[in-house]
């Protein structure tokens, strides 16, 4: 659907490529378990993730902020890292694919917002996380499972594409943002850190509405 450039240069597994390329329509033959295993293998070391998270929150005000730092530190990172070590496929269920999608969406934003001197290189790193996020979201089945994490992930991905403004992505990125709003509209309140956060707050924080 969007961002199909560079897939052949990123050395991503077939399952990930298919899931990313066909978003938002997950192929019926796609194995969630196989896709999950492949996506988990690309989780970076914790220090790398923390640098990208910090890059996002340091500069994300210029992009979009549909997620709070506390949600990342209290929910997203503990799901992906155990005792500071990336999880293994057996440590996580396919029901958490959407959470992995959010995790990689945050990393993608951090990569695209990194100061020029720290990019390695900017677009290659971003593209890898971008497609991993798409694959995780599509394998999860976004039309069947509306959630706060899915809403946030699509807002982040759409904002990244708008920020880069590469070719047709400038046109399709607004559709991605629209999908985030569509998912947000399908739910009213969702639990976050043992509280209930109105999705309207997330949409307002995204910066796309006033």
């Amino acid at each position: 659907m969007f961002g199909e450039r560079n897939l052949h240069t990123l050395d991503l597994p077939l399952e990930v490529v298919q899931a990313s390329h066909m978003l938002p329509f997950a192929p019926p033959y796609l194995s969630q378990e196989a896709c999950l295993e492949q996506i988990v293998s690309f989780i970076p070391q914790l220090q790398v993730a923390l640098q990208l998270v910090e890059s996002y929150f340091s500069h994300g005000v210029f992009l979009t902020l549909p997620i709070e730092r506390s949600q990342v530190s209290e929910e997203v990172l503990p799901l992906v890292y155990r005792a500071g070590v990336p999880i293994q496929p057996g440590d996580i269920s396919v029901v958490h694919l959407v959470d992995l999608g959010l995790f990689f969406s945050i990393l993608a934003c951090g990569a695209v917002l990194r100061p020029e001197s720290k990019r390695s290189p900017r677009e290659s790193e971003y593209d890898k996380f971008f497609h991993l996020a798409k694959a995780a979201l599509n394998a999860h089945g976004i039309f069947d499972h509306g959630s706060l994490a899915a809403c946030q992930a699509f807002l982040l991905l759409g904002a990244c594409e708008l920020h880069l403004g590469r070719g047709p992505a400038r046109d399709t990125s607004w559709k991605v943002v629209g999908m985030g709003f569509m998912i947000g509209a399908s739910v009213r309140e969702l639990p976050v850190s043992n509280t209930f956060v109105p999705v309207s707050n997330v949409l307002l924080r995204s910066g796309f509405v006033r």
Side-chain angles (χ1 to χ4, degrees), residues 71-103:
Q71 184 184 345
V72 177
S73 61
E74 295 172 12
E75 298 185 19
V76 179
L77 292 179
L79 180 69
V80 182
Y81 297 94
R82 307 285 169 82
V85 178
I87 58 171
Q88 299 299 311
D91 297 330
I92 193 170
S93 166
V94 293
V95 299
H96 291 298
L97 275 165
V98 68
D99 299 301
L100 286 174
L102 176 58
F103 168 72

Side-chain angles (χ1 to χ4, degrees), residues 183-206:
I183 295 170
S186 69
V187 291
R188 292 182 178 272
E189 294 183 335
L190 293 163
V192 178
S193 300
N194 299 318
T195 63
F196 280 86
V197 177
V199 174
S200 58
N201 288 2
V202 172
L203 300 181
L204 287 170
R205 282 177 53 83
S206 73

